[in-house]
Amino acid sequence: MLDDFMVRASIAGVGVALIAAPLGCFVVWRRMAYFGEATAHAAMLGIAIALSLEIPIFAGTLVAALLMALTVTQLSGRSLATDTLLGVTAHGGLALGLVVASFLSGVRIDLMAYLFGDILAVTRVDLLLILIGFLAVILLMYWRWSKMLISTLNEELAYSNGINPIREKFFLTISLAITVAVSIKVVGLLLISALLIIPAAASRTFSRTPEEMVIITAIIGVISAISGLQFSYLFNTPPGPSIVCVSLAIFLILSSIRPLRSN
Amino acid sequence: MKLLSTNNISVKYGSNVVLRDVSLDINEGEITTIVGPNGSGKTTLVKTIIGAVTPFTGSISLTENLRIGYIPQRLSIDYTLPMTVQRFLNLSHKISKEDCISILRTAGVPDLLKTQMSNLSGGQFQRVLLAGALQGSPQILILDEASQGLDQAGSAAFYKQIESVRNEKGCAVLMISHDLHVVMSASDKVICMNGHICCSGKPEAVANMPEYHGLFGAGTEGTLALYRHIHDHDHDNLRKFKH
């Protein structure tokens, strides 16, 4: 069954959609949209370094995304606003990564695959990595869920409950880095942010609790992944952007029926 | 019985000392109110007590397994985060629906179980926060200017609610307030702060102390004096920070 590239692509797409659901919700709740994007962009530097050191791309992106996230967390609130800092590090990391990659002689790099994903070329090893990433993120989320939720609500409230919100933020950062690292193959680093935010934004109006929102986000993500791939197969469009376009369409449809519901 | 005490704690933000040698005791069932001008370290003191800020000298001792119910100064639940009142009350640990209704009744808002947090009015919201703080049957309730954003009548009603909760549950209350007249009528003990503890004691006694008049102006217990004070008081070595 795994011999069929469309089957592998579908499994990868669904897996990434499921990983992105809880993270996407946190990104929306904590207003971290730009943070997610910066983490993803910094992964380009990780890719370039991984290629030059001949270590697995997955490891390179994971480390780069993590370092990026931790650096921003450390530096924010000093002399620059967080969004400025993210702008500097995100695009700095992306540019630096592209320059480093251009020095790599002898290696033929398909930049488009990293920027926009290459889901049809997903291998069994990639699937295994997605599975590991999925298990890691889901376990982390399950373990820290209410602590992360209270920290998201209010830091002092967290402290008074004996929760350290800085530690919870760190766990969230690790989860985000894992998500970025496994998603690059599927949608590419330029569109990871869309994968995180759009399904979560679409599900907001239809959920009453945080948990409901995660479940609805996951459903929208899975539908987007499968139909995006089918669309891409039928009309010969790039698969990563097609997946994002389907979730955009779902977002637009759900947003337009919102006024009906609230009346 | 003593629930918690701070022993000569001092707190620095960067190189600015915002709290100097603060020592206080909170006893069971007692309502203690902290008053003081903006930037006097009230919020920092409360943050230090709940463990969000670490003092650079001094120590805080809590009774073993002290259960704290905390109501933050400003908690805005973002519209992006869907949350019913019932789910909010189950955040730190699960309680039954009956218990939810019962603490909501204690807090004065029994019918809001299924309402979205982002749709509550200011007064309802503060009462739901109070219910949330009551969730773990706290021995002490800590409120950081919890009536902020409520009008005079709303805030008076809110403090009345706090008093009735204290009478019903027997928990101690530590609160920061700007409403001097409310404070003076509803507290067992008042602490006047300005980077350090200027004076403290029973409200009637504090109202006659020279330190209190120095802070809030003589012959008044209104809030006007408090604001006038902010502009003429010297804050040399105190960093003004936002509440």
Side-chain angles (χ1 to χ4, degrees):
Chain A
M1 183 182 85
L2 291 177
D3 291 335
D4 184 346
F5 73 96
M6 274 303 275
V7 172
R8 287 199 303 271
S10 304
I11 294 174
V14 168
V16 166
L18 292 178
I19 302 173
L23 263 305
C25 288
F26 271 113
V27 165
V28 168
W29 297 335
R30 298 176 71 112
R31 305 187 167 225
M32 290 163 64
Y34 213 15
F35 188 79
E37 187 158 327
T39 311
H41 283 187
M44 186 62 227
L45 189 55
I47 292 170
I49 290 171
L51 287 172
S52 55
L53 298 179
E54 292 177 351
I55 55 171
I57 303 279
F58 177 79
T61 49
L62 184 63
V63 171
L66 200 55
L67 281 179
M68 165 74 193
L70 293 176
T71 310
V72 172
T73 313
Q74 282 299 312
L75 290 178
S76 65
R78 293 206 180 160
S79 57
L80 289 173
T82 308
D83 64 334
T84 311
L85 197 62
L86 287 171
V88 171
T89 43
H91 302 292
L94 179 61
L96 201 58
L98 292 172
V99 169
V100 171
S102 75
F103 280 122
L104 298 172
S105 54
V107 194
R108 175 87 179 84
I109 310 171
D110 183 7
L111 270 183
M112 286 297 276
Y114 297 117
L115 294 178
F116 297 105
D118 196 5
I119 193 173
L120 299 181
V122 162
T123 62
R124 284 159 191 266
V125 176
D126 292 325
L127 283 186
L128 185 65
L129 286 174
I130 291 174
L131 179 67
I132 294 171
F134 174 76
L135 291 176
V137 169
I138 297 302
L139 283 177
L140 206 57
M141 287 288 143
Y142 184 74
W143 177 40
R144 311 302 302 181
W145 184 253
S146 51
K147 294 188 160 102
M148 284 182 176
L149 214 49
I150 296 176
S151 307
T152 299
L153 216 53
N154 182 275
E155 295 205 341
E156 276 80 41
L157 199 64
Y159 277 115
S160 73
N161 276 295
I163 299 163
N164 182 353
I166 298 167
R167 190 192 315 148
E168 302 312 320
K169 198 172 174 184
F170 174 72
F171 282 120
L172 206 55
T173 304
I174 293 179
S175 312
L176 196 60
I178 296 174
T179 309
V180 167
V182 299
S183 307
I184 284 185
K185 192 87 180 195
V186 175
V187 285
L189 52 88
L190 289 183
L191 288 174
I192 288 174
S193 214
L195 195 73
L196 285 170
I197 295 166
I198 299 177
S203 68
R204 166 58 188 100
T205 352
F206 298 90
S207 10
R208 286 165 302 167
T209 62
E211 293 76 15
E212 270 183 30
M213 183 157 154
V214 172
I215 291 168
I216 299 176
T217 303
I219 294 171
I220 295 175
V222 168
I223 294 174
S224 308
I226 294 174
S227 6
L229 271 176
Q230 289 302 324
F231 186 92
S232 143
Y233 184 72
L234 290 175
F235 300 100
N236 200 21
T237 53
S242 303
I243 292 174
V244 173
C245 283
V246 173
S247 55
L248 176 67
I250 295 176
F251 170 79
L252 291 175
I253 293 167
L254 293 184
S255 305
S256 64
I257 59 177
R258 180 180 60 190
L260 293 178
R261 212 178 109 110
S262 61
N263 277 341
Chain B
M1 197 185 91
K2 199 158 50 166
L3 291 180
L4 70 88
S5 51
T6 71
N7 313 306
N8 294 309
I9 54 169
S10 299
V11 173
K12 273 198 276 200
Y13 286 153
S15 58
N16 298 303
V17 179
V18 290
L19 279 185
R20 268 172 291 138
D21 288 332
V22 173
S23 298
L24 57 87
D25 295 329
I26 307 287
N27 297 314
E28 220 170 36
E30 202 176 60
I31 299 188
T32 309
T33 310
I34 306 173
V35 295
N38 285 340
S40 60
K42 304 182 299 280
T43 295
T44 303
L45 176 59
V46 164
K47 283 187 177 174
T48 314
I49 290 174
I50 63 168
V53 170
T54 316
F56 77 94
T57 57
S59 64
I60 293 171
S61 38
L62 307 176
T63 316
E64 214 172 318
N65 300 323
L66 180 68
R67 297 186 303 276
I68 296 178
Y70 174 72
I71 304 183
Q73 183 176 40
R74 198 175 300 131
L75 193 162
S76 53
I77 293 202
D78 205 285
Y79 173 73
T80 57
L81 178 58
M83 181 80 78
T84 58
V85 169
Q86 184 173 11
R87 181 69 189 90
F88 174 76
L89 297 177
N90 281 284
L91 271 181
S92 57
H93 45 270
K94 296 257 174 294
I95 55 172
S96 69
K97 194 178 167 185
E98 287 69 35
D99 288 345
C100 284
I101 295 173
S102 149
I103 54 173
L104 282 173
R105 190 173 297 125
T106 308
V109 280
D111 305 320
L112 296 175
L113 211 55
K114 300 282 176 209
T115 315
Q116 280 290 315
M117 293 290 284
S118 50
N119 292 341
L120 298 173
S121 73
Q124 289 174 330
F125 194 84
Q126 290 312 109
R127 281 175 172 75
V128 169
L129 287 188
L130 172 62
L134 290 172
Q135 191 249 27
S137 329
Q139 293 155 286
I140 178 167
L141 272 181
I142 299 182
L143 296 85
D144 184 355
E145 282 181 64
S147 68
Q148 220 176 39
L150 299 184
D151 59 19
Q152 195 113 41
S155 107
F158 184 71
Y159 285 117
K160 198 156 269 167
Q161 191 84 52
I162 298 286
E163 212 181 340
S164 85
V165 165
R166 191 271 307 255
N167 295 339
E168 188 184 328
K169 303 277 179 191
C171 52
V173 177
L174 172 65
M175 59 185 180
I176 295 176
S177 181
H178 271 302
D179 286 310
L180 289 185
H181 53 282
V182 173
V183 171
M184 287 304 178
S185 64
S187 317
D188 299 316
K189 189 172 156 192
V190 174
I191 296 175
C192 276
M193 283 195 62
N194 198 4
H196 56 104
I197 294 181
C198 299
C199 58
S200 68
K202 293 208 177 300
E204 316 82 60
V206 167
N208 292 319
M209 289 181 184
E211 293 89 346
Y212 177 77
H213 293 297
L215 275 182
F216 297 109
T220 175
E221 60 265 40
T223 43
L224 257 182
L226 180 61
Y227 293 118
R228 203 177 313 132
H229 157 83
I230 292 159
H231 302 291
D232 62 21
H233 193 85
D234 187 9
H235 285 267
D236 277 349
N237 45 7
L238 290 176
R239 172 171 173 264
K240 289 177 198 167
F241 56 93
K242 286 212 171 76
H243 283 256

